[in-house]
Amino acid sequence: MSTEEKSPFTEHLGELRDRLVRSFIAVGIGFVAAYFFKEKLFEILIAPLVNAMGENENTRMIFTGLPEAFFTYLKVSLLTGIVVATPVLFYEFWMFVSPGLYRNEKKYFLPIVILSVFFFAIGSSFGYFVVFPYGFKFFLGFATENIHAMPSMKEYLSFASKMLLAFGFVFELPLVLTFLARMGLVTVPFLKKNRKYALLLFFVGAAIITPPDVVTQVMMALPLMLLYEISIIGARIFGKKNTSEIDEEEPENQDNLSQSDTVNQDDHT
């Protein structure tokens, strides 16, 4: 009896191990390939900051430790490897949770993987092209004639990588909530009822993830509000219908049938 109970758990652990190994291999391949272009990739990453700095000769990027530049290039290559491997990562993730789906629901598996990569790319692009320029101008606005901004490579990479990954993953909200609705864990009335609490969590989460300024917090919370409304639409279309809704429809159908029967009887008479 104990072996029968333990075997499914060990099988899930083995499957999780295999998928993690494949994910690490994909990230490793991306890391090695990206390392050959590390300088160019870092230039692309700092482009929003360079544009915000403008032509101010007193503002430039530095590194304060001898090995800082080397480790920064390694981290840039790793970040690029993670981004490049996102199709594999999302594929392995959804394959791990796919046993919870019915056979007819697994036909949506490939579109889910594609949409996962799409939403991640949209979120990261939103952070890079929209949030970064406005955020950097806000921070650099505190510089004066006597106070110059000299960001280090390590600090900038830590900030940029956290923000890009955060925006990429928070834009997965519609897919996650739609999947939970499909599994029957959440419903459309539940999402509508708790909309105000969700908005509060969005602003609190944005305050934790983003730097302590109102601009970037709002620029993360506002897209989340829109994505939450998209999630409600997705849950209405693909989510499981609540039993109460089915029970409400059945009496209506029965009333329609009874009315049609009475009309048919009157016609015969």
Side-chain angles (χ1 to χ4, degrees):
M1 189 71 178
S2 59
T3 57
E4 293 178 356
E5 294 177 352
K6 290 182 180 180
S7 58
F9 180 72
T10 55
E11 288 178 1
H12 286 303
L13 284 180
E15 182 184 2
L16 178 62
R17 178 199 60 200
D18 295 338
R19 299 197 181 282
L20 288 176
V21 169
R22 286 192 287 267
S23 299
F24 283 127
I25 292 174
V27 173
I29 295 173
F31 166 76
V32 173
Y35 186 76
F36 293 100
F37 310 96
K38 56 186 183 298
E39 292 89 356
K40 185 62 177 179
L41 291 171
F42 189 70
E43 290 180 3
I44 296 174
L45 186 63
I46 65 174
L49 179 60
V50 172
N51 294 332
M53 287 178 176
E55 298 179 355
N56 190 349
E57 296 180 356
N58 294 322
T59 304
R60 63 188 62 185
M61 182 167 289
I62 62 172
F63 61 93
T64 56
L66 293 179
E68 182 176 337
F70 171 72
F71 285 111
T72 300
Y73 286 134
L74 285 180
K75 293 176 182 178
V76 169
S77 302
L78 179 60
L79 177 64
T80 306
I82 294 173
V83 173
V84 171
T86 48
V88 179
L89 299 179
F90 286 121
Y91 174 82
E92 296 297 337
F93 171 77
W94 288 114
M95 279 294 292
F96 182 73
V97 301
S98 63
L101 299 175
Y102 292 104
R103 181 176 299 177
N104 61 341
E105 295 174 343
K106 293 183 178 181
K107 62 183 179 181
Y108 301 109
F109 178 76
L110 183 59
I112 287 176
V113 174
I114 296 174
L115 288 175
S116 298
V117 178
F118 173 76
F119 278 112
F120 183 86
I122 292 296
S124 299
S125 300
F126 179 82
Y128 182 84
F129 291 105
V130 179
V131 178
F132 278 12
Y134 289 101
F136 294 154
K137 288 181 181 179
F138 174 80
F139 292 131
L140 294 175
F142 293 98
T144 62
E145 294 181 358
N146 298 322
I147 302 175
H148 304 288
M150 301 180 69
S152 67
M153 297 175 64
K154 180 177 67 175
E155 292 176 353
Y156 177 80
L157 177 62
S158 176
F159 170 81
S161 60
K162 183 177 71 172
M163 292 294 293
L164 291 177
L165 293 177
F167 273 97
F169 283 115
V170 297
F171 269 61
E172 301 290 332
L173 181 66
L175 284 179
V176 174
L177 291 182
T178 302
F179 178 78
L180 293 177
R182 188 63 186 175
M183 296 290 292
L185 299 177
V186 297
T187 60
V188 174
F190 174 82
L191 295 176
K192 290 183 176 180
K193 181 180 179 181
N194 295 279
R195 181 185 282 114
K196 55 184 178 180
Y197 301 108
L199 299 182
L200 177 61
L201 289 176
F202 293 156
F203 279 95
V204 173
I208 295 173
I209 297 174
T210 61
D213 68 285
V214 180
V215 177
T216 52
Q217 292 175 12
V218 173
M219 295 184 74
M220 175 174 279
L222 289 180
L224 282 173
M225 295 168 60
L226 177 61
L227 292 172
Y228 189 81
E229 299 301 325
I230 297 176
S231 303
I232 294 177
I233 298 174
R236 181 181 290 113
I237 297 174
F238 298 102
K240 285 186 177 181
K241 185 173 290 188
N242 195 3
T243 55
S244 61
E245 297 177 358
I246 298 175
D247 294 337
E248 289 177 358
E249 290 181 356
E250 287 180 353
E252 293 179 357
N253 295 331
Q254 290 177 359
D255 293 337
N256 294 330
L257 289 175
S258 61
Q259 290 177 1
S260 62
D261 291 338
T262 54
V263 171
N264 291 330
Q265 290 177 0
D266 292 338
D267 293 338
H268 287 298
T269 55

